């Protein structure tokens, strides 16, 4: 960012600082929620968790499904640059539109049995990272981080179970867990929980 140049223009100190804050916020809570929501989905669906344990090469497909199934960002917003019609609704230039990412990711016209967690769905059309020119800058990093996190969690802990029901955060845009106590058992140490 310090060396970035665009037609002779440079980023000011304030622009660099605000971009760093954006990266920290946009890249922290979201990935954390993917790991929390994803782990909850796996514990809720033991046969899927078993399938991933038995076949770790499923991890890329699994992360896409966890992103779709319980999307860390539920809402996004756009402002119409011109009058448009979407799904029979007229939207005037300048009007704001809220997009329900979580609902789109469970659209039955797009996903067979959308309420079923299926880690083998493979390549997906979910919109958990948004679409278009504002598509999430950190998507490759988030994918990598969560692939590593889930691979290591399953490798290290042969048993994972809820201690008590998870509690969701009270937030309309970011979907994540406020508390999520999990009992784990470590590899090679039976009874050590
Ligand atoms: C699972 C993790 C993440 C999810 C679900 C997520 C989701 C999103 C969504 C929905 C958007 C809006 C896209 C749009 O309006 O079309 C977005 C934008 C953005 N994300 Fe992420 N994100 C994640 C991780 C990250 C990480 C790790 C970083 C950075 C290290 C990051 C940085 C950004 C930035 C800078 C934008 C704004 C892009 C722009 O407006 O051009 N995100 N993200």
């Amino acid at each position: 960012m310090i060396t970035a140049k665009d037609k002779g223009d440079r980023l000011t100190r304030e622009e660099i600082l605000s971009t760093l804050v954006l990266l920290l916020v946009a890249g922290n809570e979201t990935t954390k929620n993917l790991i929390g929501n994803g782990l909850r989905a796996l514990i809720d669906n033991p046969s899927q968790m078993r399938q991933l344990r038995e076949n770790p090469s499923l991890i890329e497909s699994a992360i896409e499904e966890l992103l779709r199934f319980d999307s860390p960002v539920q809402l996004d917003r756009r402002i119409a640059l011109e009058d448009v019609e979407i799904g029979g609704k007229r939207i005037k230039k300048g009007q704001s539109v809220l997009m329900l990412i979580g609902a789109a990711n469970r659209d039955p016209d797009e996903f067979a049995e959308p309420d079923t967690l299926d880690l083998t769905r493979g390549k997906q059309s979910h919109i958990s990272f948004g679409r278009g020119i504002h598509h999430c800058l950190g998507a490759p990093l988030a994918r990598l981080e969560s692939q590593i996190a889930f691979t290591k969690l399953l490798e290290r802990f042969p048993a994972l179970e809820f201690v008590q029901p998870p509690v969701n955060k009270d937030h309309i845009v970011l979907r994540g867990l406020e508390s999520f106590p999990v009992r784990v058992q470590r590899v090679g140490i039976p009874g050590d929980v």
Side-chain angles (χ1 to χ4, degrees):
M1 279 191 270
I2 290 166
T3 57
K5 264 197 212 154
D6 184 11
K7 293 182 189 138
D9 193 11
R10 295 200 97 118
L11 292 175
T12 63
R13 187 182 150 78
E14 285 68 31
E15 285 168 337
I16 292 179
L17 280 176
S18 67
T19 307
L20 288 174
V21 171
L22 169 69
L23 286 176
L24 194 64
V25 175
N28 186 351
E29 186 70 13
T30 47
T31 310
K32 192 171 79 182
N33 289 346
L34 172 60
I35 295 169
N37 296 348
L39 185 57
R40 173 196 208 163
L42 290 179
I43 295 179
D44 271 339
N45 292 272
S47 65
Q48 292 295 302
M49 176 138 74
R50 200 173 322 114
Q51 202 174 354
L52 183 56
R53 280 188 193 283
E54 286 166 6
N55 184 3
S57 67
L58 263 183
I59 189 67
E60 283 181 28
S61 166
I63 296 301
E64 296 312 303
E65 176 66 348
L66 296 175
L67 278 160
R68 180 196 75 81
F69 188 75
D70 204 0
S71 318
V73 179
Q74 289 278 317
L75 271 182
D76 204 355
R77 195 172 85 120
R78 290 290 190 269
I79 294 168
L81 294 176
E82 53 194 50
D83 293 357
V84 281
E85 192 173 311
I86 305 175
K89 294 256 183 259
R90 292 211 35 211
I91 297 155
K92 292 213 173 90
K93 179 178 174 180
Q95 273 189 321
S96 169
V97 181
L98 288 182
M99 300 172 296
L100 302 182
I101 294 178
N105 284 345
R106 299 269 186 125
D107 181 353
D109 289 341
E110 195 63 28
F111 305 99
E113 296 189 46
D115 297 333
T116 301
L117 182 78
D118 176 1
L119 302 182
T120 64
R121 280 183 204 264
K123 196 161 167 46
Q124 292 226 13
S125 55
H126 71 67
I127 54 164
S128 299
F129 290 119
R131 267 289 159 83
I133 56 168
H134 290 289
H135 181 267
C136 175
L137 183 80
L141 177 63
R143 286 188 160 110
L144 190 63
E145 285 177 317
S146 49
Q147 284 169 18
I148 294 170
F150 280 100
T151 302
K152 290 289 167 200
L153 263 170
L154 297 189
E155 254 175 40
R156 199 168 296 175
F157 303 119
L160 289 152
E161 56 187 33
F162 297 129
V163 175
Q164 56 197 51
V167 178
N168 270 94
K169 279 185 194 155
D170 189 13
H171 200 289
I172 195 168
V173 178
L174 299 177
R175 184 171 157 84
L177 298 167
E178 183 67 53
S179 78
F180 183 22
V182 170
R183 181 178 294 116
V184 300
Q185 188 187 334
R186 285 191 283 170
V187 172
I189 317 183
D192 179 8
V193 291

